[in-house]
Amino acid sequence: MTDLPLALGLDFGTSGVRAAVVDPQRHLCWQHRLGYPDLPAPEGWRRALFSLLEALPEAIAPHIGRMAIDGTSGTAVLCDRSGSALTPPLLYNHPCPESLDRVKAIAPNGPAASATSSLAKLVWWHQSLPPDLWQRAAYLLHQADWLSAQLHGQRGLSDYHNSLKLGYDVGSLSYPPEMLGQPWTAVLPRVLAPGEGVGPVTAAIAQRFGLSPQCQVVAGTTDSIAAFLASGASAPGDGVTSLGSTLVIKLLSDRRIDAVEYGIYSHRLGHLWLVGGASNTGGAVLEKFFDRDALAALSQQIDPAAPTRLDYYPLTQPGERFPINDPGLAPRLTPRPENDAEFLHGLLVGIARIEQRGYTLLAELGASPLRQIYTAGGGAANETWRQLRAGLMAVPIKNAASIEAAVGSAYLALG
């Protein structure tokens, strides 16, 4: 990459699309964002992709040597041999409960055993499409797969981050025997390692957007893993806590942990594993009681070193996934003191205790010991909360180097 030193990351998330260019030292050179166009998918995806490439500065585009795309996990489209969609894509949150029993018989453990998994969507397509339409099916592609194919021109390729929800075994790096010999096996993509080179952009793409004909497209990833890669976490024991509407924790581990009973599964990251889970607690609970200005003002009134007498389990409604897997778990938000700062103190500590319990559970199951935490999401800006969490966790807590998934995809492209 000496002649083409820059890397481009393209992020297709739930709310919009973003691009980031970094140099070999991981310095951010350029970034851009825009919303999805008002077009049906997947054509809207392609229009957004081309709009990002059109926005590349002329001084940057010719020097991009590698690029990677991330997309929403579980979003999939069924294509014919030309790569054209046979039906509208099914998005990450589209459930196919009718196929769930069949899916669980094939892949009983892990994230594929879900009504919203790409495997559930594949089985549903096979069960519900007219035979003449199904006979034209050649490829199941995830969002990142389909978009990457618009650049390198090769179809039927995926990566093992996106394919985890398709039932791909990231331990053996193969599809399990139960998925072979099925009436839909032929449409399964060939799975590559994220960041593995696929091939150069097509001549038409290079000419249209001012890219070098030698610019390589690499196998992509999911938007959540791209966000992890952007954080700066790099060694076993590095954790990333996302404090958004919900609380999501991920820990880089030298040991794979899969515990369906706790909602825990592992993504492969080279020779390491990305272990984690998602709680229903988080910022949505805080926003139920306070607006953003009130949260900022009241946080200033809290002494992070002072104890609280309150023992909350903050949820917006009954039901928890991790570190307690109990769909009936009731929120615990009483007693509520008259002083709002004291109430917020209890809520913040309650969420921090759930975070602590999550990392403790991962350690008890055999994951690498926690050594530091990077924080992403809106809650990363609350310094009082950071100090409260640091006191409980007893490890350094710092803000993520970047919160942009596009930056993580650019890092993936760098290699």
Side-chain angles (χ1 to χ4, degrees), residues 275-296:
V275 183
S279 168
N280 290 336
T281 194
V285 183
L286 304 180
E287 292 171 358
K288 184 176 179 180
F289 299 104
F290 306 107
D291 61 29
R292 186 168 299 182
D293 291 340
L295 280 171

mmCIF file of all heavy atoms in Angstrom, residues 275-296:
data_model
loop_
_atom_site.group_PDB
_atom_site.id
_atom_site.type_symbol
_atom_site.label_atom_id
_atom_site.label_comp_id
_atom_site.label_asym_id
_atom_site.label_seq_id
_atom_site.Cartn_x
_atom_site.Cartn_y
_atom_site.Cartn_z
ATOM 1 N N VAL A 275 -16.626 -11.356 22.670
ATOM 2 C CA VAL A 275 -17.662 -11.970 23.482
ATOM 3 C C VAL A 275 -18.541 -10.866 24.060
ATOM 4 O O VAL A 275 -18.029 -9.825 24.474
ATOM 5 C CB VAL A 275 -17.033 -12.772 24.638
ATOM 6 C CG1 VAL A 275 -18.086 -13.488 25.446
ATOM 7 C CG2 VAL A 275 -16.002 -13.761 24.103
ATOM 8 N N GLY A 276 -19.840 -11.087 24.127
ATOM 9 C CA GLY A 276 -20.645 -10.031 24.727
ATOM 10 C C GLY A 276 -22.110 -10.345 24.821
ATOM 11 O O GLY A 276 -22.580 -11.431 24.477
ATOM 12 N N GLY A 277 -22.825 -9.345 25.305
ATOM 13 C CA GLY A 277 -24.267 -9.446 25.465
ATOM 14 C C GLY A 277 -24.869 -8.062 25.543
ATOM 15 O O GLY A 277 -24.167 -7.051 25.648
ATOM 16 N N ALA A 278 -26.192 -8.018 25.496
ATOM 17 C CA ALA A 278 -26.915 -6.741 25.489
ATOM 18 C C ALA A 278 -28.009 -6.770 26.542
ATOM 19 O O ALA A 278 -28.829 -7.683 26.584
ATOM 20 C CB ALA A 278 -27.511 -6.479 24.111
ATOM 21 N N SER A 279 -28.006 -5.752 27.401
ATOM 22 C CA SER A 279 -29.025 -5.592 28.433
ATOM 23 C C SER A 279 -30.109 -4.626 27.947
ATOM 24 O O SER A 279 -29.860 -3.770 27.099
ATOM 25 C CB SER A 279 -28.382 -5.056 29.718
ATOM 26 O OG SER A 279 -29.374 -4.623 30.641
ATOM 27 N N ASN A 280 -31.284 -4.739 28.525
ATOM 28 C CA ASN A 280 -32.368 -3.808 28.202
ATOM 29 C C ASN A 280 -32.308 -2.528 29.018
ATOM 30 O O ASN A 280 -33.119 -1.627 28.805
ATOM 31 C CB ASN A 280 -33.730 -4.489 28.418
ATOM 32 C CG ASN A 280 -33.999 -5.552 27.382
ATOM 33 O OD1 ASN A 280 -33.456 -5.520 26.286
ATOM 34 N ND2 ASN A 280 -34.827 -6.536 27.728
ATOM 35 N N THR A 281 -31.359 -2.448 29.944
ATOM 36 C CA THR A 281 -31.167 -1.185 30.652
ATOM 37 C C THR A 281 -30.429 -0.213 29.746
ATOM 38 O O THR A 281 -29.989 -0.574 28.653
ATOM 39 C CB THR A 281 -30.390 -1.394 31.956
ATOM 40 O OG1 THR A 281 -30.521 -0.208 32.766
ATOM 41 C CG2 THR A 281 -28.906 -1.649 31.710
ATOM 42 N N GLY A 282 -30.280 1.032 30.173
ATOM 43 C CA GLY A 282 -29.538 1.999 29.373
ATOM 44 C C GLY A 282 -30.173 3.373 29.359
ATOM 45 O O GLY A 282 -31.002 3.714 30.222
ATOM 46 N N GLY A 283 -29.781 4.142 28.364
ATOM 47 C CA GLY A 283 -30.203 5.540 28.299
ATOM 48 C C GLY A 283 -31.695 5.732 28.151
ATOM 49 O O GLY A 283 -32.231 6.777 28.554
ATOM 50 N N ALA A 284 -32.403 4.749 27.586
ATOM 51 C CA ALA A 284 -33.851 4.896 27.427
ATOM 52 C C ALA A 284 -34.544 5.030 28.783
ATOM 53 O O ALA A 284 -35.565 5.724 28.899
ATOM 54 C CB ALA A 284 -34.423 3.708 26.662
ATOM 55 N N VAL A 285 -33.993 4.407 29.824
ATOM 56 C CA VAL A 285 -34.563 4.536 31.167
ATOM 57 C C VAL A 285 -34.365 5.958 31.680
ATOM 58 O O VAL A 285 -35.283 6.575 32.232
ATOM 59 C CB VAL A 285 -33.919 3.523 32.136
ATOM 60 C CG1 VAL A 285 -34.571 3.624 33.508
ATOM 61 C CG2 VAL A 285 -34.027 2.118 31.591
ATOM 62 N N LEU A 286 -33.166 6.495 31.479
ATOM 63 C CA LEU A 286 -32.887 7.857 31.939
ATOM 64 C C LEU A 286 -33.787 8.860 31.228
ATOM 65 O O LEU A 286 -34.311 9.802 31.853
ATOM 66 C CB LEU A 286 -31.416 8.199 31.692
ATOM 67 C CG LEU A 286 -30.371 7.258 32.298
ATOM 68 C CD1 LEU A 286 -28.970 7.735 31.952
ATOM 69 C CD2 LEU A 286 -30.545 7.154 33.806
ATOM 70 N N GLU A 287 -33.975 8.666 29.904
ATOM 71 C CA GLU A 287 -34.786 9.602 29.128
ATOM 72 C C GLU A 287 -36.263 9.521 29.492
ATOM 73 O O GLU A 287 -37.032 10.436 29.174
ATOM 74 C CB GLU A 287 -34.602 9.319 27.636
ATOM 75 C CG GLU A 287 -33.193 9.656 27.145
ATOM 76 C CD GLU A 287 -32.938 9.172 25.721
ATOM 77 O OE1 GLU A 287 -33.852 8.533 25.141
ATOM 78 O OE2 GLU A 287 -31.848 9.423 25.202
ATOM 79 N N LYS A 288 -36.649 8.455 30.140
ATOM 80 C CA LYS A 288 -38.032 8.337 30.605
ATOM 81 C C LYS A 288 -38.325 9.335 31.718
ATOM 82 O O LYS A 288 -39.483 9.754 31.906
ATOM 83 C CB LYS A 288 -38.261 6.899 31.098
ATOM 84 C CG LYS A 288 -39.674 6.578 31.529
ATOM 85 C CD LYS A 288 -39.803 5.111 31.902
ATOM 86 C CE LYS A 288 -41.216 4.776 32.360
ATOM 87 N NZ LYS A 288 -41.348 3.336 32.720
ATOM 88 N N PHE A 289 -37.275 9.741 32.449
ATOM 89 C CA PHE A 289 -37.465 10.630 33.603
ATOM 90 C C PHE A 289 -36.876 12.025 33.404
ATOM 91 O O PHE A 289 -37.359 12.986 34.009
ATOM 92 C CB PHE A 289 -36.829 9.994 34.850
ATOM 93 C CG PHE A 289 -37.435 8.678 35.231
ATOM 94 C CD1 PHE A 289 -36.767 7.492 34.958
ATOM 95 C CD2 PHE A 289 -38.672 8.608 35.858
ATOM 96 C CE1 PHE A 289 -37.318 6.260 35.315
ATOM 97 C CE2 PHE A 289 -39.230 7.389 36.218
ATOM 98 C CZ PHE A 289 -38.558 6.213 35.937
ATOM 99 N N PHE A 290 -35.860 12.151 32.563
ATOM 100 C CA PHE A 290 -35.145 13.426 32.440
ATOM 101 C C PHE A 290 -34.835 13.726 30.978
ATOM 102 O O PHE A 290 -34.520 12.814 30.206
ATOM 103 C CB PHE A 290 -33.821 13.383 33.220
ATOM 104 C CG PHE A 290 -33.956 12.996 34.670
ATOM 105 C CD1 PHE A 290 -33.542 11.746 35.115
ATOM 106 C CD2 PHE A 290 -34.515 13.873 35.592
ATOM 107 C CE1 PHE A 290 -33.663 11.374 36.437
ATOM 108 C CE2 PHE A 290 -34.640 13.516 36.923
ATOM 109 C CZ PHE A 290 -34.218 12.273 37.353
ATOM 110 N N ASP A 291 -34.899 15.012 30.620
ATOM 111 C CA ASP A 291 -34.428 15.388 29.295
ATOM 112 C C ASP A 291 -32.914 15.588 29.342
ATOM 113 O O ASP A 291 -32.287 15.507 30.405
ATOM 114 C CB ASP A 291 -35.151 16.628 28.753
ATOM 115 C CG ASP A 291 -34.948 17.873 29.617
ATOM 116 O OD1 ASP A 291 -33.892 17.995 30.281
ATOM 117 O OD2 ASP A 291 -35.842 18.738 29.621
ATOM 118 N N ARG A 292 -32.321 15.859 28.186
ATOM 119 C CA ARG A 292 -30.861 15.924 28.099
ATOM 120 C C ARG A 292 -30.279 17.024 28.979
ATOM 121 O O ARG A 292 -29.266 16.817 29.660
ATOM 122 C CB ARG A 292 -30.450 16.140 26.638
ATOM 123 C CG ARG A 292 -28.952 16.087 26.399
ATOM 124 C CD ARG A 292 -28.640 16.017 24.923
ATOM 125 N NE ARG A 292 -29.193 14.829 24.310
ATOM 126 C CZ ARG A 292 -29.038 14.506 23.032
ATOM 127 N NH1 ARG A 292 -28.359 15.292 22.222
ATOM 128 N NH2 ARG A 292 -29.566 13.394 22.562
ATOM 129 N N ASP A 293 -30.917 18.187 28.994
ATOM 130 C CA ASP A 293 -30.404 19.294 29.806
ATOM 131 C C ASP A 293 -30.467 18.956 31.293
ATOM 132 O O ASP A 293 -29.540 19.257 32.058
ATOM 133 C CB ASP A 293 -31.190 20.575 29.519
ATOM 134 C CG ASP A 293 -30.914 21.123 28.124
ATOM 135 O OD1 ASP A 293 -29.875 20.755 27.542
ATOM 136 O OD2 ASP A 293 -31.740 21.905 27.618
ATOM 137 N N ALA A 294 -31.576 18.336 31.710
ATOM 138 C CA ALA A 294 -31.708 17.967 33.121
ATOM 139 C C ALA A 294 -30.674 16.922 33.506
ATOM 140 O O ALA A 294 -30.089 16.985 34.602
ATOM 141 C CB ALA A 294 -33.116 17.455 33.391
ATOM 142 N N LEU A 295 -30.422 15.969 32.627
ATOM 143 C CA LEU A 295 -29.408 14.962 32.916
ATOM 144 C C LEU A 295 -28.043 15.595 33.137
ATOM 145 O O LEU A 295 -27.320 15.239 34.074
ATOM 146 C CB LEU A 295 -29.330 13.955 31.768
ATOM 147 C CG LEU A 295 -30.395 12.863 31.728
ATOM 148 C CD1 LEU A 295 -30.317 12.082 30.415
ATOM 149 C CD2 LEU A 295 -30.234 11.915 32.906
ATOM 150 N N ALA A 296 -27.691 16.537 32.287
ATOM 151 C CA ALA A 296 -26.389 17.200 32.415
ATOM 152 C C ALA A 296 -26.305 17.994 33.706
ATOM 153 O O ALA A 296 -25.292 17.939 34.425
ATOM 154 C CB ALA A 296 -26.147 18.089 31.206
#
